[in-house]
Amino acid sequence: MRTPLVVGNWKMHGGIAEARELALAVRDGLKRPRGVEVVVCPPFTALPAVAEVLAGSPIGWGAQNAHWEDKGAFTGEISPVMLVELRCRLVILGHSERRHLFRETDEEINRKVAAALRHGLTPLLCVGETAEERRQGLTFTVVEGQLRAGLAGLGSPQMERCLLAYEPVWAIGTGVNATPAQAAEVHGYLRGLVSELASKEVAQSLRILYGGSVKADNAAALTQEPDIDGALVGGASLQAPGFITIARKSAAKGGPAKE
Ligand code: PEP
């Protein structure tokens, strides 16, 4: 049984006042979300303000990245310890913008995943192929490599505490989402891999989100696929009404969770 999860990735948008306003609107629009969990990931600088607004509400908050070290001479980095202090629930790791624009390697992402777990944070590990890789028929090879590398060295109990997101690079911020069938195919493949790496039970309980141009009008079709357990939402998470609709449309039908 997996409760769908919708995560808003606000990326590098908005100052503290805007973040507070957006968090308030999401909180007030989703007072008692049924059959769905919701988390927002503002920029680091807005985390304290967002935490203040959302504390005591059912909406969680998380971060968009974290370093693998607890502290030290790492100018410009944020450690998982700092995120725990801000009561973050999860941390997005291996986002395609980190991989492609900032050249993060699988090995670094793996260290970040392990560090997040060590500190009790839930890592949301993102994988996904570029348009060219898909054209060359390499989708499964690419996501498999990223998944195996990202989870390397972890035992089943640790993998069970992770979240995955399939985010085809060609769908992020482009307005062109993967079709439910395209996404479902990759989600099923990833779940099969987790079954192999951990166990069938872990694979059945692990939530795999889809990300890439999710909007109010495509959320329901995507998340009604049995292997799609919610959404990682970028652009559309910056407007509260649309994000709230996505959350509602991603909720499990007729109950708190889907099998
Ligand atoms: C993302 O950045 O994780 C994302 C999915 O962006 P968008 O929804 O804008 O495609």
Side-chain angles (χ1 to χ4, degrees), residues 51-88:
E52 195 183 296
V53 169
L54 298 179
S57 84
I59 314 296
W61 58 93
Q64 301 170 20
N65 188 24
H67 198 260
W68 57 82
E69 294 289 349
D70 295 3
K71 61 178 181 176
F74 301 101
T75 302
E77 293 293 332
I78 300 285
S79 102
V81 179
M82 296 166 182
L83 299 182
V84 170
E85 192 181 17
L86 291 168
R87 291 165 294 144
C88 285

Coordinates of all heavy atoms in Angstrom, one line a residue, residues 51-88:
A51 N 9.0 26.7 7.0 CA 8.8 25.8 8.1 C 7.9 26.4 9.2 O 7.0 25.7 9.8 CB 10.2 25.5 8.8
E52 N 8.0 27.7 9.4 CA 7.2 28.4 10.4 C 5.7 28.4 9.9 O 4.8 28.1 10.7 CB 7.7 29.8 10.4 CG 7.2 30.6 11.6 CD 7.7 32.0 11.5 OE1 9.0 32.2 11.6 OE2 6.9 32.9 11.4
V53 N 5.5 28.6 8.6 CA 4.1 28.6 8.1 C 3.5 27.2 8.2 O 2.3 27.0 8.5 CB 4.1 29.1 6.6 CG1 2.8 28.9 6.0 CG2 4.5 30.6 6.6
L54 N 4.3 26.2 7.8 CA 3.7 24.8 7.7 C 3.7 24.0 8.9 O 3.1 22.9 9.0 CB 4.5 24.1 6.5 CG 4.4 24.7 5.1 CD1 5.1 23.9 4.1 CD2 2.9 24.8 4.7
A55 N 4.5 24.4 10.0 CA 4.6 23.6 11.2 C 3.1 23.4 11.7 O 2.3 24.3 11.8 CB 5.4 24.4 12.2
G56 N 2.9 22.1 12.1 CA 1.6 21.8 12.6 C 0.5 21.5 11.5 O -0.6 21.1 11.8
S57 N 0.9 21.7 10.3 CA 0.0 21.4 9.2 C 0.4 20.0 8.6 O 1.4 19.5 8.9 CB 0.1 22.5 8.1 OG 1.1 22.2 7.2
P58 N -0.5 19.5 7.7 CA -0.1 18.2 7.1 C 0.9 18.3 6.0 O 1.3 17.3 5.4 CB -1.5 17.6 6.6 CG -2.4 18.8 6.6 CD -1.8 19.9 7.4
I59 N 1.2 19.5 5.6 CA 2.2 19.7 4.5 C 3.6 19.7 5.0 O 3.9 20.4 6.0 CB 1.9 21.1 3.8 CG1 0.4 21.4 3.5 CG2 2.7 21.2 2.5 CD1 -0.2 20.4 2.6
G60 N 4.4 18.9 4.4 CA 5.8 18.8 4.8 C 6.7 19.7 4.0 O 6.3 20.3 3.0
W61 N 8.0 19.9 4.4 CA 8.9 20.7 3.6 C 10.2 19.9 3.5 O 10.6 19.1 4.4 CB 9.1 22.1 4.2 CG 9.6 22.1 5.6 CD1 10.8 22.2 6.0 CD2 8.8 22.0 6.8 NE1 10.9 22.2 7.4 CE2 9.6 22.1 7.9 CE3 7.4 21.9 7.0 CZ2 9.2 22.0 9.2 CZ3 6.9 21.9 8.4 CH2 7.8 21.9 9.4
G62 N 10.9 20.2 2.4 CA 12.2 19.6 2.2 C 13.1 20.5 1.4 O 12.8 21.7 1.2
A63 N 14.3 20.0 1.1 CA 15.3 20.8 0.4 C 15.6 20.2 -1.0 O 15.2 19.1 -1.3 CB 16.6 20.8 1.2
Q64 N 16.3 21.0 -1.8 CA 16.5 20.6 -3.2 C 17.9 20.0 -3.4 O 18.2 19.5 -4.5 CB 16.4 21.9 -4.1 CG 15.0 22.6 -4.0 CD 15.1 23.9 -4.7 OE1 15.9 24.2 -5.5 NE2 14.1 24.7 -4.3
N65 N 18.7 19.9 -2.4 CA 20.0 19.4 -2.5 C 20.6 19.3 -1.1 O 20.2 20.0 -0.2 CB 20.9 20.3 -3.4 CG 22.2 19.7 -3.8 OD1 22.4 18.4 -3.7 ND2 23.2 20.5 -4.1
A66 N 21.7 18.6 -0.9 CA 22.5 18.6 0.3 C 23.8 18.0 0.0 O 24.0 17.2 -0.9 CB 21.8 17.8 1.4
H67 N 24.8 18.4 0.8 CA 26.2 17.8 0.6 C 26.2 16.5 1.4 O 25.3 16.2 2.2 CB 27.2 18.8 1.2 CG 28.6 18.6 0.7 ND1 29.5 17.9 1.4 CD2 29.2 18.8 -0.5 CE1 30.6 17.8 0.8 NE2 30.5 18.3 -0.4
W68 N 27.3 15.8 1.2 CA 27.4 14.5 1.9 C 28.2 14.6 3.2 O 28.1 13.8 4.1 CB 28.1 13.4 1.0 CG 29.4 13.8 0.5 CD1 30.6 13.7 1.2 CD2 29.7 14.3 -0.8 NE1 31.6 14.2 0.4 CE2 31.1 14.5 -0.8 CE3 29.0 14.7 -1.9 CZ2 31.8 15.0 -2.0 CZ3 29.6 15.2 -3.0 CH2 31.0 15.3 -3.0
E69 N 28.9 15.7 3.4 CA 29.6 15.9 4.7 C 28.8 16.6 5.7 O 27.9 17.4 5.3 CB 30.9 16.7 4.4 CG 31.9 16.1 3.6 CD 32.7 14.9 4.2 OE1 32.5 14.7 5.4 OE2 33.4 14.2 3.5
D70 N 29.0 16.3 7.0 CA 28.2 17.0 8.0 C 28.6 18.4 8.2 O 27.8 19.3 8.5 CB 28.5 16.3 9.4 CG 28.0 14.9 9.4 OD1 27.5 14.4 8.3 OD2 28.1 14.2 10.4
K71 N 29.9 18.7 8.0 CA 30.4 20.1 8.2 C 31.8 20.2 7.6 O 32.4 19.1 7.3 CB 30.5 20.5 9.7 CG 31.4 19.6 10.5 CD 31.4 20.2 11.9 CE 32.3 19.3 12.8 NZ 32.5 19.8 14.1
G72 N 32.4 21.4 7.5 CA 33.7 21.5 7.0 C 33.9 22.6 6.0 O 33.0 23.5 5.8
A73 N 35.1 22.6 5.4 CA 35.4 23.7 4.5 C 34.9 23.3 3.1 O 35.6 22.8 2.2 CB 37.0 23.8 4.5
F74 N 33.6 23.6 2.9 CA 32.9 23.3 1.7 C 32.1 24.5 1.3 O 30.9 24.5 1.4 CB 32.0 22.0 1.8 CG 32.8 20.8 2.2 CD1 32.8 20.4 3.5 CD2 33.6 20.1 1.3 CE1 33.5 19.2 3.9 CE2 34.3 19.0 1.6 CZ 34.3 18.6 3.0
T75 N 32.8 25.5 0.9 CA 32.1 26.8 0.6 C 30.9 26.7 -0.3 O 31.0 26.1 -1.3 CB 33.2 27.8 0.0 OG1 34.3 27.9 0.9 CG2 32.6 29.1 -0.3
G76 N 29.8 27.3 0.2 CA 28.6 27.3 -0.6 C 27.7 26.1 -0.5 O 26.7 26.0 -1.1
E77 N 28.1 25.1 0.3 CA 27.3 23.9 0.4 C 26.5 23.9 1.7 O 26.7 24.7 2.6 CB 28.3 22.6 0.5 CG 29.0 22.4 -0.8 CD 28.1 22.0 -1.9 OE1 27.0 21.4 -1.7 OE2 28.4 22.2 -3.1
I78 N 25.4 23.1 1.7 CA 24.5 22.9 2.8 C 24.6 21.5 3.3 O 24.4 20.6 2.5 CB 23.1 23.3 2.4 CG1 23.0 24.7 1.9 CG2 22.1 23.0 3.5 CD1 23.0 25.8 2.9
S79 N 24.8 21.3 4.6 CA 24.9 19.9 5.0 C 23.6 19.3 5.5 O 22.6 20.0 5.8 CB 25.9 19.8 6.2 OG 25.3 19.7 7.4
P80 N 23.5 18.0 5.5 CA 22.2 17.4 5.9 C 21.9 17.7 7.4 O 20.7 17.8 7.7 CB 22.4 15.8 5.8 CG 23.9 15.7 5.4 CD 24.4 17.0 5.0
V81 N 22.9 17.9 8.2 CA 22.7 18.3 9.6 C 21.9 19.6 9.6 O 21.0 19.8 10.5 CB 24.0 18.5 10.3 CG1 23.8 18.9 11.8 CG2 24.8 17.2 10.2
M82 N 22.2 20.5 8.7 CA 21.6 21.9 8.7 C 20.1 21.7 8.3 O 19.2 22.4 8.8 CB 22.3 22.8 7.7 CG 23.7 23.1 8.2 SD 24.6 23.9 6.8 CE 26.2 24.0 7.6
L83 N 19.8 20.7 7.4 CA 18.5 20.5 7.0 C 17.6 19.8 8.1 O 16.5 20.1 8.3 CB 18.5 19.6 5.7 CG 19.2 20.2 4.5 CD1 19.1 19.3 3.3 CD2 18.6 21.6 4.2
V84 N 18.3 19.0 8.9 CA 17.6 18.4 10.0 C 17.2 19.4 11.0 O 16.1 19.4 11.6 CB 18.5 17.3 10.6 CG1 17.9 16.8 11.9 CG2 18.7 16.1 9.6
E85 N 18.1 20.4 11.2 CA 17.8 21.5 12.1 C 16.6 22.3 11.7 O 15.9 22.8 12.5 CB 19.1 22.4 12.2 CG 19.0 23.3 13.4 CD 20.2 24.3 13.4 OE1 21.0 24.4 12.4 OE2 20.4 24.9 14.5
L86 N 16.4 22.3 10.4 CA 15.2 23.1 9.9 C 14.0 22.1 9.7 O 13.0 22.5 9.1 CB 15.6 23.7 8.5 CG 16.6 24.8 8.6 CD1 17.1 25.2 7.2 CD2 15.9 26.0 9.3
R87 N 14.1 21.0 10.3 CA 13.0 19.9 10.3 C 12.6 19.6 8.9 O 11.4 19.4 8.7 CB 11.9 20.4 11.2 CG 12.3 20.4 12.7 CD 11.3 21.2 13.5 NE 11.3 22.6 13.1 CZ 10.3 23.4 13.1 NH1 9.1 23.0 13.5 NH2 10.4 24.7 12.8
C88 N 13.5 19.5 8.0 CA 13.2 19.1 6.6 C 12.8 17.6 6.7 O 13.4 16.8 7.4 CB 14.3 19.2 5.7 SG 14.7 20.9 5.2

